[in-house]
mmCIF file of all heavy atoms in Angstrom:
data_model
loop_
_atom_site.group_PDB
_atom_site.id
_atom_site.type_symbol
_atom_site.label_atom_id
_atom_site.label_comp_id
_atom_site.label_asym_id
_atom_site.label_seq_id
_atom_site.Cartn_x
_atom_site.Cartn_y
_atom_site.Cartn_z
ATOM 1 N N ASP D 44 13.078 -13.269 -47.311
ATOM 2 C CA ASP D 44 11.947 -14.181 -47.423
ATOM 3 C C ASP D 44 12.354 -15.634 -47.374
ATOM 4 O O ASP D 44 11.491 -16.494 -47.281
ATOM 5 C CB ASP D 44 11.259 -14.036 -48.828
ATOM 6 C CG ASP D 44 10.511 -12.703 -48.987
ATOM 7 O OD1 ASP D 44 10.125 -12.168 -47.791
ATOM 8 O OD2 ASP D 44 10.238 -12.136 -50.007
ATOM 9 N N ILE D 45 13.634 -15.981 -47.326
ATOM 10 C CA ILE D 45 14.097 -17.279 -47.255
ATOM 11 C C ILE D 45 13.536 -17.958 -45.885
ATOM 12 O O ILE D 45 13.008 -18.978 -45.981
ATOM 13 C CB ILE D 45 15.646 -17.330 -47.204
ATOM 14 C CG1 ILE D 45 16.142 -17.081 -48.649
ATOM 15 C CG2 ILE D 45 16.106 -18.850 -46.856
ATOM 16 C CD1 ILE D 45 17.613 -17.001 -48.743
ATOM 17 N N SER D 46 13.575 -17.140 -44.893
ATOM 18 C CA SER D 46 13.027 -17.627 -43.654
ATOM 19 C C SER D 46 12.827 -16.522 -42.671
ATOM 20 O O SER D 46 13.654 -15.630 -42.552
ATOM 21 C CB SER D 46 14.070 -18.655 -42.967
ATOM 22 O OG SER D 46 13.566 -19.077 -41.705
ATOM 23 N N SER D 47 11.726 -16.528 -41.951
ATOM 24 C CA SER D 47 11.524 -15.604 -40.941
ATOM 25 C C SER D 47 11.900 -15.964 -39.585
ATOM 26 O O SER D 47 11.692 -15.372 -38.552
ATOM 27 C CB SER D 47 10.000 -15.174 -40.868
ATOM 28 O OG SER D 47 9.308 -16.348 -40.601
ATOM 29 N N ALA D 48 12.509 -17.209 -39.597
ATOM 30 C CA ALA D 48 12.893 -17.707 -38.185
ATOM 31 C C ALA D 48 14.156 -16.966 -37.709
ATOM 32 O O ALA D 48 15.002 -16.558 -38.417
ATOM 33 C CB ALA D 48 13.307 -19.165 -38.394
ATOM 34 N N GLN D 49 14.185 -16.893 -36.352
ATOM 35 C CA GLN D 49 15.292 -16.189 -35.706
ATOM 36 C C GLN D 49 15.714 -16.973 -34.442
ATOM 37 O O GLN D 49 14.816 -17.389 -33.768
ATOM 38 C CB GLN D 49 14.924 -14.737 -35.182
ATOM 39 C CG GLN D 49 14.475 -13.834 -36.353
ATOM 40 C CD GLN D 49 14.178 -12.401 -35.796
ATOM 41 O OE1 GLN D 49 14.147 -12.181 -34.571
ATOM 42 N NE2 GLN D 49 13.943 -11.499 -36.666
ATOM 43 N N LEU D 50 16.993 -17.117 -34.233
ATOM 44 C CA LEU D 50 17.648 -17.779 -33.235
ATOM 45 C C LEU D 50 17.355 -16.929 -31.972
ATOM 46 O O LEU D 50 17.748 -15.822 -31.895
ATOM 47 C CB LEU D 50 19.024 -18.002 -33.403
ATOM 48 C CG LEU D 50 19.827 -18.798 -32.343
ATOM 49 C CD1 LEU D 50 19.151 -20.184 -32.089
ATOM 50 C CD2 LEU D 50 21.258 -18.947 -32.555
ATOM 51 N N GLN D 51 16.677 -17.492 -30.869
ATOM 52 C CA GLN D 51 16.396 -16.686 -29.635
ATOM 53 C C GLN D 51 17.435 -17.050 -28.470
ATOM 54 O O GLN D 51 17.848 -16.211 -27.941
ATOM 55 C CB GLN D 51 15.029 -17.135 -29.159
ATOM 56 C CG GLN D 51 13.911 -16.620 -30.057
ATOM 57 C CD GLN D 51 13.963 -15.021 -30.248
ATOM 58 O OE1 GLN D 51 13.965 -14.341 -29.318
ATOM 59 N NE2 GLN D 51 13.853 -14.625 -31.540
ATOM 60 N N ASP D 52 17.731 -18.375 -28.565
ATOM 61 C CA ASP D 52 18.694 -18.680 -27.520
ATOM 62 C C ASP D 52 19.349 -20.036 -27.985
ATOM 63 O O ASP D 52 18.885 -20.722 -28.838
ATOM 64 C CB ASP D 52 17.982 -18.874 -26.214
ATOM 65 C CG ASP D 52 18.968 -18.913 -24.955
ATOM 66 O OD1 ASP D 52 20.186 -18.617 -25.099
ATOM 67 O OD2 ASP D 52 18.514 -19.127 -23.909
ATOM 68 N N PHE D 53 20.589 -20.248 -27.387
ATOM 69 C CA PHE D 53 21.263 -21.560 -27.632
ATOM 70 C C PHE D 53 22.240 -21.880 -26.447
ATOM 71 O O PHE D 53 22.576 -21.059 -25.784
ATOM 72 C CB PHE D 53 21.995 -21.551 -28.919
ATOM 73 C CG PHE D 53 23.305 -20.783 -28.947
ATOM 74 C CD1 PHE D 53 24.548 -21.394 -28.606
ATOM 75 C CD2 PHE D 53 23.336 -19.347 -29.100
ATOM 76 C CE1 PHE D 53 25.722 -20.645 -28.604
ATOM 77 C CE2 PHE D 53 24.505 -18.636 -28.982
ATOM 78 C CZ PHE D 53 25.670 -19.244 -28.812
ATOM 79 N N TYR D 54 22.462 -23.156 -26.364
ATOM 80 C CA TYR D 54 23.554 -23.670 -25.505
ATOM 81 C C TYR D 54 24.043 -24.823 -26.172
ATOM 82 O O TYR D 54 23.523 -25.523 -27.019
ATOM 83 C CB TYR D 54 23.093 -23.777 -24.081
ATOM 84 C CG TYR D 54 22.167 -24.949 -23.739
ATOM 85 C CD1 TYR D 54 22.634 -26.175 -23.437
ATOM 86 C CD2 TYR D 54 20.846 -24.776 -23.902
ATOM 87 C CE1 TYR D 54 21.738 -27.228 -23.090
ATOM 88 C CE2 TYR D 54 19.803 -25.738 -23.643
ATOM 89 C CZ TYR D 54 20.342 -26.924 -23.225
ATOM 90 O OH TYR D 54 19.508 -28.044 -22.916
ATOM 91 N N TRP D 55 25.280 -25.274 -25.824
ATOM 92 C CA TRP D 55 25.956 -26.318 -26.420
ATOM 93 C C TRP D 55 26.662 -27.149 -25.300
ATOM 94 O O TRP D 55 26.938 -26.673 -24.148
ATOM 95 C CB TRP D 55 26.881 -25.910 -27.558
ATOM 96 C CG TRP D 55 28.059 -24.983 -27.068
ATOM 97 C CD1 TRP D 55 27.957 -23.668 -27.006
ATOM 98 C CD2 TRP D 55 29.318 -25.426 -26.536
ATOM 99 N NE1 TRP D 55 29.132 -23.132 -26.508
ATOM 100 C CE2 TRP D 55 29.929 -24.152 -26.225
ATOM 101 C CE3 TRP D 55 30.011 -26.565 -26.382
ATOM 102 C CZ2 TRP D 55 31.210 -24.113 -25.786
ATOM 103 C CZ3 TRP D 55 31.190 -26.518 -25.682
ATOM 104 C CH2 TRP D 55 31.875 -25.292 -25.538
#
Side-chain angles (χ1 to χ4, degrees):
D44 288 342
I45 290 172
S46 176
S47 62
Q49 294 182 356
L50 180 64
Q51 294 299 312
D52 197 10
F53 73 96
Y54 69 94
W55 58 271

